[in-house]
Amino acid sequence: MNDKVFIFDTTLRDGEQVPGCRLNTEEKLVIARALEGLGVDIIEAGFPISSPGDFEAVNRIASEIRNTTVCGLTRAVKKDIEVAAEALKPAARPRIHTGIGTSDQHIFTKLRLDRDRVIERGVEAVKLAKTFVEDVEFYAEDAGRTDNEYLARVIEAVIAAGATVVNIPDTTGYCIPEEYGAKIKFLKENVKNIDKAIISTHCHNDLGMATANSLSGVSNGARQIECTVNGIGERAGNTSMEEVVMAMRKHNMLNFDTAIHTQKIYEISRLVSDTMRMPVQPNKAIVGDNAFSHSSGIHQDGVIKSRDNYEIIDPAEVGVSESSIVLTARSGRAALFYRIQKLGHTLSHEALEEAYQEFLKMADRLQTVEDEHLQELLQAVKVA
Ligand code: KIV
Ligand code: ZN
């Protein structure tokens, strides 16, 4: 029996903060329904005080989504919390996500407070949120750069105030996996009553470590991962949902799993990309166009003999119909023969050799050789 890791999706909040990704209420609803269908445990629907549009979107999502917790973000500010509570009123399972910066950088330069006052503000915020909802998550913003002893004091105080989930964000994407994992371990070992709350990861990708840091957090005691579809989010993005989910699924020995219906991953990736006008980079793990396409001769030959030679994921597992053999000037005879066979032709050894020499000339001219080019080529070498 695997340990459950809760998936907290923040595509509609952290993801939607990205310039150009702004969504209207109807678009947010479409994505929220798809996230519910995907099996995420929590949908962070927005930041209700930030605009009337975001309030409306959170409120509509809270009214419609019944099987998933719906969460609204706030600062540790009275008005924010009251407005979020109002937006979340119709929710079957509401959660308020409140918090404050805890690194010295944030305390002294951004908030212009001191360490003790930050703890008081966090505690006041959690207590106020608890008067509206049972499920209150606290975030220690910039926890990645927060001194561990002080962070432990903050987390202990907000758990005593009633926080059900404690979020340890690497807001600036600063940590490396050992460091982030050690931070979670330190909290596990040094915070009184830590087991009364779920520890959550929220990792940004500024050093390309978001997925690795989140998994390291889980290995050290976190049981919720905050993430987004396609890894969108502030600056270099947030932890990519599809990456953490598939890493846990593939590495069964980690003994962690999620409730995600992985066959829906590709579909929701396209939906988010299209709706948010945010293209997915071709080499993006799991959902990029090239994630299941093989283009060099050595790899193609291996994949044709057995998919397992170069594929660690069956594309169907994430909703991709099949992997592809892309014909380029780096392809070999095996790939050409395979594609010609798929078009319904069988070639003799001599005909294949002739076709291959013609193919190489063609491939040098074109980036990729498509089926229609192959048909022309077959005609030229007079293959039936
Ligand atoms: O990155 C961050 O710290 C956040 C918090 C608001 C949770 O997005
Ligand atoms: Zn964030």
Side-chain angles (χ1 to χ4, degrees), residues 208-280:
M209 300 285 169
T211 293
N213 283 342
S214 303
L215 294 175
S216 177
V218 168
S219 300
N220 284 282
R223 287 294 176 273
Q224 175 179 287
I225 294 180
E226 306 198 1
C227 51
T228 60
V229 174
N230 301 334
I232 61 171
E234 282 278 353
R235 305 180 311 279
N238 209 298
T239 300
S240 153
M241 176 277 297
E242 53 279 3
E243 292 175 16
V244 286
V245 167
M246 291 314 293
M248 284 189 277
R249 197 58 60 90
K250 286 286 113 183
H251 287 265
N252 233 343
M253 76 278 207
L254 286 175
N255 286 332
F256 303 120
D257 207 356
T258 67
I260 296 295
H261 306 298
T262 62
Q263 305 87 332
K264 297 189 174 179
I265 282 179
Y266 186 72
E267 191 186 343
I268 199 164
S269 161
R270 295 298 125 163
L271 173 71
V272 167
S273 169
D274 293 346
T275 319
M276 290 190 153
R277 299 159 289 276
M278 181 78 160
V280 176

Side-chain angles (χ1 to χ4, degrees), residues 39 69 174 270 311 361:
T69 296
Y174 167 78
R270 295 298 125 163
E311 284 179 6
K361 288 183 217 156

Side-chain angles (χ1 to χ4, degrees), residues 31-40 43 64-68 261 264 268:
I31 293 178
R33 287 182 201 121
L35 288 168
E36 187 182 36
L38 180 71
V40 308
I43 296 173
E64 199 183 301
I65 299 295
R66 304 324 281 167
N67 299 318
T68 304
H261 306 298
K264 297 189 174 179
I268 199 164

Side-chain angles (χ1 to χ4, degrees), residues 142-258:
D142 205 15
R145 291 188 297 171
T146 300
D147 154 55
N148 285 348
E149 302 272 352
Y150 173 66
L151 185 60
R153 279 180 58 210
V154 176
I155 297 304
E156 193 164 301
V158 296
I159 290 176
T164 45
V165 181
V166 285
N167 178 13
I168 312 302
D170 184 21
T171 305
T172 55
Y174 167 78
C175 290
I176 55 174
E178 290 74 14
E179 189 181 16
Y180 188 76
K183 192 173 281 289
I184 302 297
K185 187 165 188 275
F186 184 87
L187 296 175
K188 260 315 241 187
E189 289 172 354
N190 292 283
V191 171
K192 207 191 298 163
N193 290 326
I194 188 73
D195 292 335
K196 284 194 171 169
I198 292 173
I199 302 179
S200 182
T201 66
H202 178 114
C203 299
H204 280 268
N205 205 30
D206 300 63
L207 293 174
M209 300 285 169
T211 293
N213 283 342
S214 303
L215 294 175
S216 177
V218 168
S219 300
N220 284 282
R223 287 294 176 273
Q224 175 179 287
I225 294 180
E226 306 198 1
C227 51
T228 60
V229 174
N230 301 334
I232 61 171
E234 282 278 353
R235 305 180 311 279
N238 209 298
T239 300
S240 153
M241 176 277 297
E242 53 279 3
E243 292 175 16
V244 286
V245 167
M246 291 314 293
M248 284 189 277
R249 197 58 60 90
K250 286 286 113 183
H251 287 265
N252 233 343
M253 76 278 207
L254 286 175
N255 286 332
F256 303 120
D257 207 356
T258 67

